[in-house]
Amino acid sequence: MKKWKKQQNNINWKISSMIAIGVLLSVMFLLPSIIVLPFKGDQSETEASTSTPTEIETKNKERELASPFHVNVFRTKTEKVEEVPLEEYVVHVVASEMPADFELEALKAQALAARTYVVRFLVQGVSQNIPGGADVTDTIEHQVYKNEDELRELWGSDYHWKIDKITQAVYETQGKIITYDNQPITPAFFSTSNGYTENSENYWPNELPYLRIVESPWDEEISPKFFSQKTFTKSQLEELLGVPVQSEEKFHLTRTDSQRVETMKVGEKSFSGREVRTLLDLPSNDFTITKKNDHYVFTTRGYGHGIGMSQYGANGMALEGKSSSEIVSYYYKGTEVSSLEEAAPTLLAKSE
């Protein structure tokens, strides 16, 4: 009996050992699979995502820009002329003239202004004697324009999202311009107001009915360019203005309704506010002057000539939920957004 029990125990031990070995082997075979499978799953998802168009690529395909004609741009650095499709030109002007992190509706307002500017220029057909027979230059003489290579160098790793956002703004306004009495306007724009825009005749020779003073309260809150100071010594001021400055000189200033300096009198000589801004290289012609010891401190409000659309003001309106059409109708009084077919049929006919 004892012998039988001993045999039975041996058999049970062998069975238990075989089961344990079987389990161990199963674990050994299964464990690599358990470890590897999640990574395989992640890898397959990654491969799937890279093999299909990204959201940006899909949007870009959906946003194919259609240009009815080209703009010939004289590149000042290379002294060559680039032939650029209209809407691509607008993309690159907006990219060069307004920060890409502005609200989409502000970028759309800038796109409307940029397109209107070049269309009006081409409709007028004014001869500018630009080298190579170009239509416009790439500078502030017309509109700042940077090509793809220049923007990539400027933006670096931010290039893709910035150009995509601006392309969207241009796509959503393509073929549209700003008109007054069904004619393309002069869509003046600038960076930052002093709280108001300016009447055109207070800075330029011509009075235009749509370039009127309007309040622009958003600039002071959101623009980093709202306040600025420049300091000059007495000798520097005399050299720049070309007049003697007495130690106890009091500068007599008159102002326009927008609070910008209209005239400044130094001794017996008078300057326009625009002249002072140019001679002293001030950000704007809204300035005050304080004297500290032998130095004169010019404190300015705003940045730019002040006529037309304030870019930071436009962004402020967009942040409040205003649309691009509401922005342009606010800064350009009595205007509307029209199609190229309605406002520039002769220009389109020439391009056919």
Side-chain angles (χ1 to χ4, degrees):
M1 187 70 179
K2 288 182 180 179
K3 185 178 180 180
W4 180 84
K5 285 184 177 181
K6 186 176 181 180
Q7 290 177 340
Q8 186 66 38
N9 288 336
N10 289 337
I11 292 171
N12 291 338
W13 181 85
K14 289 180 179 179
I15 292 172
S16 298
S17 298
M18 292 174 65
I19 292 172
I21 292 170
V23 171
L24 181 61
L25 289 172
S26 298
V27 170
M28 289 173 64
F29 283 111
L30 285 174
L31 189 58
S33 298
I34 293 171
I35 295 172
V36 172
L37 277 176
F39 289 94
K40 281 188 175 180
D42 288 347
Q43 186 180 8
S44 65
E45 290 173 5
T46 302
E47 289 172 351
S49 65
T50 55
S51 62
T52 58
T54 64
E55 184 179 353
I56 290 176
E57 289 170 340
T58 301
K59 286 181 179 179
N60 279 335
K61 288 181 179 179
E62 293 172 354
R63 291 199 299 259
E64 187 174 350
L65 299 174
S67 298
F69 54 84
H70 290 74
V71 179
N72 295 311
V73 185
F74 178 73
R75 307 310 314 279
T76 52
K77 287 185 178 180
T78 62
E79 296 187 346
K80 294 181 179 180
V81 177
E82 289 184 23
E83 186 182 67
V84 188
L86 171 65
E87 299 299 342
E88 291 295 333
Y89 171 76
V90 175
V91 168
H92 289 264
V93 168
V94 175
S96 307
E97 293 276 14
M98 178 176 273
D101 58 0
F102 273 22
E103 294 295 300
L104 182 64
E105 292 302 314
L107 292 167
K108 288 166 65 175
Q110 185 70 51
L112 287 166
R115 189 180 299 105
T116 303
Y117 179 92
V118 73
V119 166
R120 180 179 180 277
F121 205 79
L122 294 175
V123 166
Q124 287 183 330
V126 179
S127 176
Q128 297 287 311
N129 295 320
I130 301 174
D135 300 315
V136 292
T137 68
D138 58 2
T139 70
I140 57 173
E141 181 184 356
H142 299 107
Q143 296 186 109
V144 179
Y145 169 92
K146 298 181 187 297
N147 64 19
E148 181 180 340
D149 291 340
E150 292 165 323
L151 290 175
R152 284 182 180 275
E153 183 179 354
L154 178 67
W155 288 340
S157 60
D158 290 330
Y159 173 81
H160 290 290
W161 75 260
K162 286 186 175 183
I163 202 69
D164 183 66
K165 184 178 180 182
I166 292 170
T167 301
Q168 180 181 350
V170 173
Y171 175 79
E172 292 184 14
T173 64
Q174 69 175 330
K176 302 289 185 181
I177 61 172
I178 309 165
T179 60
Y180 184 88
D181 284 345
N182 205 38
Q183 295 298 315
I185 70 166
T186 298
F189 58 86
F190 61 100
S191 171
T192 304
S193 82
N194 66 342
Y196 297 88
T197 65
E198 182 62 280
N199 289 331
S200 59
E201 67 274 15
N202 289 341
Y203 199 83
W204 293 332
N206 298 328
E207 177 180 341
L208 296 173
Y210 47 83
L211 296 179
R212 302 291 88 200
I213 292 175
V214 298
E215 289 187 53
S216 189
W218 307 276
D219 307 59
E220 182 172 4
E221 182 179 350
I222 66 175
S223 175
K225 300 180 179 181
F226 187 79
F227 282 110
S228 182
Q229 285 189 333
K230 289 191 75 171
T231 302
F232 304 91
T233 64
K234 177 177 175 292
S235 60
Q236 286 175 330
L237 207 55
E238 288 179 330
E239 182 180 355
L240 292 168
L241 295 177
V243 295
V245 177
Q246 303 302 322
S247 297
E248 299 303 320
E249 186 76 62
K250 291 185 178 179
F251 300 89
H252 300 281
L253 307 177
T254 64
R255 296 183 181 273
T256 67
D257 290 340
S258 72
Q259 296 306 302
R260 292 173 175 82
V261 173
E262 185 174 24
T263 63
M264 182 182 83
K265 190 174 182 181
V266 184
E268 297 302 317
K269 186 170 183 179
S270 290
F271 301 85
S272 70
R274 179 179 180 176
E275 287 174 328
V276 176
R277 181 193 173 207
T278 301
L279 291 170
L280 302 186
D281 193 24
L282 300 176
S284 104
N285 61 317
D286 176 358
F287 56 84
T288 57
I289 309 167
T290 56
K291 187 172 182 291
K292 293 184 178 180
N293 299 322
D294 292 328
H295 293 78
Y296 297 86
V297 181
F298 284 70
T299 301
T300 57
R301 291 161 57 96
Y303 194 102
H305 51 62
I307 302 169
M309 183 179 70
S310 162
Q311 292 175 315
Y312 274 94
N315 200 43
M317 291 185 70
L319 286 166
E320 291 183 355
K322 301 298 184 183
S323 68
S324 58
S325 58
E326 289 174 313
I327 293 169
V328 298
S329 65
Y330 180 78
Y331 282 107
Y332 305 115
K333 289 303 180 185
T335 65
E336 59 184 2
V337 176
S338 307
S339 68
L340 284 172
E341 289 80 1
E342 295 170 322
T346 54
L347 182 60
L348 295 181
K350 288 179 183 178
S351 63
E352 291 178 355

